Amino acid sequence: MKSHITNAISDFFCEYETPRQVLVRNRRVGVVCRLIQLGVLAYIIVWVFIYEKGYQSTDTAVSSVFTKMKGVGYTNVSGEERVWDVADYVFPSQGDASFVVMTNYIITEGQKMGKCPELPGKHHCSSGSDCEGGRYKRQMTGVCVNTTKTCEVLAWCPVEDDSKIPDPPLLMSAENYTLFIKNSVTFPTFKVSRSNLVEGIDKNYIGNCLHDPKTAPLCPIFRLGDIVKMSGFSFETIAKVGGAIGIVIDWTCNFDVDVRKCKPTYEFHGLYGNPDEKDDVRASVGYNFRYAKHYLEDKVQKRTLLKVFGIRFDIIVQSLARKFDIIPTLTAIGSGVGIFGVATVVCDLMMLYLLPKREFYKNMKFKYTESQTQDPDSEAGSTETEASNK
């Protein structure tokens, strides 16, 4: 028993095992093997290293976006002139990455809480029984107003009439408003911070530039009309009923080269609001909401209600930075070397099951043994004799 343990330990440290290899001289098998190996090598070089850049580690950015609108609008409705500035037509307040610019509106002035008839054509009635409370979305009083043949409601009166949307839009001047975007990104893994105000962009440049994909691709000031056009919309159409546009700031950077080459690109996408949408979604075309300005008049609370149609802008930052890293490089190489084993598997299948001389190749590839047991007290313990199948 002691000698067995000693021999086992000695064999473990003093012997080396290696697989037996058989050299097969067969043109078809050889060609298939080399073609598969070339395919695997091309996959590793072209796809893993060149396209997927498997030799680099990646990181996404932590970002912040600051926006500022500029421009003045003018309206003349029924002889009433009004000037609209940024505080009037941007919702919410300045600075958000998602905001709405008002381009059209329906205004209902002098509303106060009270009882008044519904608009003609809505909640038609012939008697008070048709106006029972809770039957409609408004709070009914149970009275049918004979003059209008509509139910009386408890609401802000007079009731808003939004059946007719102004056409052309009241604030077509919004086409010439400008949007300034300031974006900062940080890649924490690589400890790199960048801003869209890259090298060469100073106060003088910002004061005179206007973004253009060809002549001024890095200018952070955008004309609203140009944004709408590049997103595929007609400004007059989207200004009438509202819509949404996505502004994508893309940071795709390679930190194996100069960091100053890490610069943003801008893309514009129409999200919804186009009247050419399919019929099954046509009912949801546009974007609108209501807001009210409350005030006191003769100690009576009143409000001015506006139904706002506008363009919603969503600024989306997407990022991906890469830099050489030995760990993903070795991982990619190791994975590629492992894939080379596919060639061996395919060629073995051909050689052992498809070729005419498959029995001959089986005898050459495999070594068959027979075991004969000896006296357990003998020094060898057991012996094996080789027998080849011929």
Side-chain angles (χ1 to χ4, degrees):
M1 183 65 181
K2 182 178 180 181
S3 62
H4 289 178
I5 297 174
T6 303
N7 291 337
I9 295 175
S10 176
D11 292 344
F12 179 79
F13 285 103
C14 300
E15 293 181 354
Y16 168 73
E17 297 176 356
T18 183
R20 182 185 183 187
Q21 294 185 347
V22 179
L23 180 61
V24 179
R25 295 187 179 277
N26 185 292
R27 182 175 298 176
R28 283 179 291 182
V29 175
V31 170
V32 170
C33 180
R34 298 301 174 235
L35 287 177
I36 294 175
Q37 289 177 340
L38 286 175
V40 172
L41 185 61
Y43 164 78
I44 296 172
I45 295 174
V46 177
W47 180 264
V48 176
F49 282 97
I50 296 178
Y51 185 79
E52 290 290 338
K53 295 179 172 54
Y55 59 91
Q56 294 176 316
S57 59
T58 60
D59 189 23
T60 55
V62 179
S63 69
S64 65
V65 176
F66 165 83
T67 60
K68 181 183 289 186
M69 289 290 306
K70 284 188 177 181
V72 176
Y74 169 81
T75 58
N76 187 341
V77 180
S78 301
E80 182 179 348
E81 296 181 304
R82 180 169 179 175
V83 173
W84 302 78
D85 60 18
V86 174
D88 297 319
Y89 61 71
V90 176
F91 308 90
S93 302
Q94 296 250 32
D96 288 348
S98 180
F99 58 92
V100 178
V101 176
M102 180 170 65
T103 55
N104 205 4
Y105 63 89
I106 297 173
I107 188 169
T108 306
E109 297 181 303
Q111 284 188 321
K112 64 179 180 179
M113 188 59 65
K115 297 178 181 179
C116 51
E118 261 286 17
L119 296 173
K122 290 188 177 182
H123 303 168
H124 178 77
C125 64
S126 56
S127 64
S129 59
D130 297 328
C131 300
E132 296 178 0
R135 290 193 60 185
Y136 302 103
K137 293 181 180 180
R138 294 187 185 275
Q139 182 63 42
M140 303 292 178
T141 63
V143 176
C144 180
V145 181
N146 293 327
T147 55
T148 60
K149 294 299 180 180
T150 57
C151 295
E152 185 182 69
V153 294
L154 176 63
W156 287 94
C157 300
V159 176
E160 176 194 49
D161 183 2
D162 61 349
S163 57
K164 294 182 180 180
I165 301 175
D167 189 14
L170 298 175
L171 286 171
M172 276 295 294
S173 55
E175 188 174 11
N176 295 314
Y177 297 167
T178 58
L179 169 64
F180 170 65
I181 300 177
K182 185 176 180 181
N183 174 221
S184 298
V185 296
T186 298
F187 297 94
T189 300
F190 304 132
K191 296 180 173 58
V192 175
S193 297
R194 297 290 289 165
S195 169
N196 65 330
L197 305 181
V198 297
E199 295 78 12
I201 297 182
D202 52 22
K203 291 183 179 180
N204 293 331
Y205 179 81
I206 291 178
N208 296 284
C209 78
L210 196 62
H211 182 86
D212 184 273
K214 296 181 179 179
T215 60
L218 295 176
C219 179
I221 298 178
F222 306 82
R223 179 176 170 270
L224 257 60
D226 294 337
I227 294 176
V228 173
K229 182 179 179 180
M230 287 186 285
S231 66
F233 283 93
S234 162
F235 190 88
E236 183 174 356
T237 301
I238 196 174
K240 177 184 175 182
V241 297
I245 293 175
I247 302 175
V248 178
I249 306 176
D250 181 68
W251 292 88
T252 301
C253 302
N254 182 5
F255 290 144
D256 287 334
V257 297
D258 193 342
V259 173
R260 290 177 295 181
K261 292 185 179 181
C262 178
K263 298 178 181 180
T265 58
Y266 301 91
E267 297 178 358
F268 309 93
H269 303 277
L271 303 181
Y272 63 86
N274 196 322
D276 295 330
E277 289 176 326
K278 297 179 181 179
D279 290 339
D280 58 345
V281 295
R282 184 176 292 276
S284 64
V285 170
Y287 179 84
N288 64 79
F289 63 93
R290 292 175 174 83
Y291 86 100
K293 295 181 179 179
H294 293 262
Y295 60 94
L296 288 176
E297 183 179 280
D298 297 330
K299 297 183 180 181
V300 177
Q301 185 179 15
K302 293 186 176 183
R303 72 175 189 179
T304 297
L305 178 67
L306 280 94
K307 182 176 182 179
V308 175
F309 301 88
I311 306 173
R312 178 189 174 100
F313 293 94
D314 294 308
I315 301 176
I316 305 163
V317 180
Q318 61 183 28
S319 60
L320 181 64
R322 298 178 179 272
K323 192 174 184 180
F324 175 78
D325 192 336
I326 189 62
I327 294 178
T329 302
L330 294 177
T331 302
I333 294 174
S335 300
V337 171
I339 299 175
F340 272 102
V342 173
T344 303
V345 174
V346 173
C347 291
D348 281 352
L349 292 173
M350 286 183 59
M351 185 176 64
L352 299 176
Y353 299 101
L354 300 179
L355 295 181
K357 296 182 179 180
R358 51 185 176 271
E359 293 299 329
F360 171 75
Y361 290 128
K362 284 183 182 180
N363 292 333
M364 296 299 297
K365 180 175 177 62
F366 299 109
K367 180 180 179 181
Y368 298 90
T369 64
E370 293 181 0
S371 299
Q372 294 181 356
T373 305
Q374 287 187 343
D375 184 359
D377 294 333
S378 66
E379 183 178 351
S382 64
T383 182
E384 293 181 351
T385 62
E386 300 180 2
S388 299
N389 294 335
K390 298 183 180 179

